[in-house]
Amino acid sequence: MNPAELATTVPALLTLPIAFLTALWARRSGERAADAALDAGLRQARAAVEAARLQRLGEDESRRRDALTDASAAFLRAADALAATVRGLPEAAHERRRTRLADRALAVETGYGPLELLAPPILRSRAHALLGHCQELARVAVDRAVLRSAVAALENGWCLHPDAEFCEHPQHTSAAVARDLLVDWSGKDAEQRWQERDLLAFCLRESRCLSEEETARVLALADRLPAGWSQLIGGYFRDPLLERFTELRGLLVEAARSTQARVGSVPGQDPP
């Protein structure tokens, strides 16, 4: 083959491989582009699914937190209402005391239910402690009201003269003695209480501070001697049962804040 023929033949022979390789490279480039597009699409799809999942989790968490906030605030309001009722019960008519108390106690029991399901452990524990004290308050509130009402009436029956210690008015003296006997009643042993039972009855009647029905209720309690007598009566400036309520309430509010269960403006208020 002469040079002229070779120059014509070689390009012709190379045309098919070059065309084939060009098509192959184009195909592979297309496949790579398709794979890249597919991979990008998959990444976008996964990102969209993950974003939707996170959004759903965020919405669920927000709803759970809102529900926890509502439940915490409702329970706290119910507990505060019970404490306010217990505080005011000595001034209420005796026949209305149990009815007023029952509604408040039921509201506390009902209010605790959602927290049992929604609250994290620390908040649930604090709420349960407050619930237990509220149950104790409801249990002793009527006895507390009878005793505190009687003590207040006896103190109001004392002599108002500046030299009251020299007062010999039988009603004033009886009121002072009856009050002291009641305050110290649980500190006496059974023998002392038996010996002074008649004196207590006499002084309560002689003071004329209580009605016959009120006197009978006080004497029935003195005979029964409920547990925590001194806490039921309290003191001039102290009310141990409601002080304990305030303490447990504060711990609950603290736990609610630490778990981001917003309880509205209630925690900023003083307990009733």
Side-chain angles (χ1 to χ4, degrees):
M1 183 178 292
N2 59 44
E5 292 175 339
L6 181 62
T8 304
T9 303
V10 170
L13 292 174
L14 291 176
T15 300
L16 286 176
I18 292 173
F20 173 76
L21 290 174
T22 300
L24 182 61
W25 288 335
R27 177 181 177 185
R28 288 181 176 177
S29 296
E31 289 176 348
R32 285 195 296 271
D35 289 344
L38 179 60
D39 186 56
L42 288 175
R43 286 198 302 270
Q44 291 177 353
R46 292 192 187 102
V49 170
E50 180 65 11
R53 186 183 72 84
L54 292 175
Q55 181 179 359
R56 177 62 180 273
L57 288 176
E59 292 173 352
D60 290 345
E61 175 62 19
S62 178
R63 284 194 293 268
R64 188 199 69 80
R65 187 172 297 169
D66 288 344
L68 180 57
T69 294
D70 293 343
S72 299
F75 176 68
L76 200 59
R77 284 195 299 270
D80 284 346
L82 173 65
T85 298
V86 170
R87 189 185 298 277
L89 216 57
E91 287 74 43
H94 182 74
E95 59 273 11
R96 298 179 56 190
R97 286 171 177 164
R98 293 192 183 279
T99 301
R100 291 180 58 183
L101 191 65
D103 293 341
R104 300 302 189 189
L106 179 60
V108 175
E109 298 277 355
T110 303
Y112 175 74
L115 291 179
E116 184 72 24
L117 298 175
L118 295 171
I122 182 63
L123 181 57
R124 185 166 60 249
S125 174
R126 299 282 175 82
H128 190 266
L130 183 59
L131 170 67
H133 189 67
C134 286
Q135 291 170 332
E136 178 66 10
L137 278 177
R139 187 183 69 81
V140 304
V142 173
D143 289 348
R144 174 187 178 278
V146 169
L147 290 177
R148 291 181 69 88
S149 176
V151 168
L154 292 169
E155 290 175 349
N156 289 333
W158 290 352
C159 182
L160 300 179
H161 193 276
D163 296 325
E165 62 269 25
F166 300 112
C167 177
E168 296 182 357
H169 193 293
Q171 292 181 12
H172 299 169
T173 303
S174 294
V177 172
R179 186 262 180 198
D180 289 344
L181 285 171
L182 280 181
V183 170
D184 298 332
W185 195 249
S186 63
K188 304 176 186 297
D189 59 32
E191 180 67 19
Q192 289 176 308
R193 289 196 299 272
W194 180 80
Q195 291 176 350
E196 296 183 359
R197 168 57 164 76
D198 289 343
L199 175 61
L200 175 61
F202 172 80
C203 289
L204 286 173
R205 294 188 174 97
E206 185 66 15
S207 71
R208 299 185 183 179
C209 295
L210 307 177
S211 69
E212 283 297 323
E213 289 182 352
E214 290 171 329
T215 298
R217 284 193 287 267
V218 171
L219 291 174
L221 285 180
D223 293 338
R224 176 161 60 88
L225 189 62
W229 179 281
S230 60
Q231 287 195 323
L232 298 179
I233 290 179
Y236 288 113
F237 304 107
R238 294 200 60 196
D239 192 338
L241 289 173
L242 290 180
E243 287 174 9
R244 178 60 175 162
F245 172 86
T246 300
E247 178 185 353
L248 293 173
R249 181 190 189 277
L251 291 174
L252 172 62
V253 170
E254 178 186 329
R257 287 172 174 165
S258 69
T259 56
Q260 299 181 342
R262 305 174 302 278
V263 286
S265 61
V266 178
Q269 301 172 353
D270 293 329

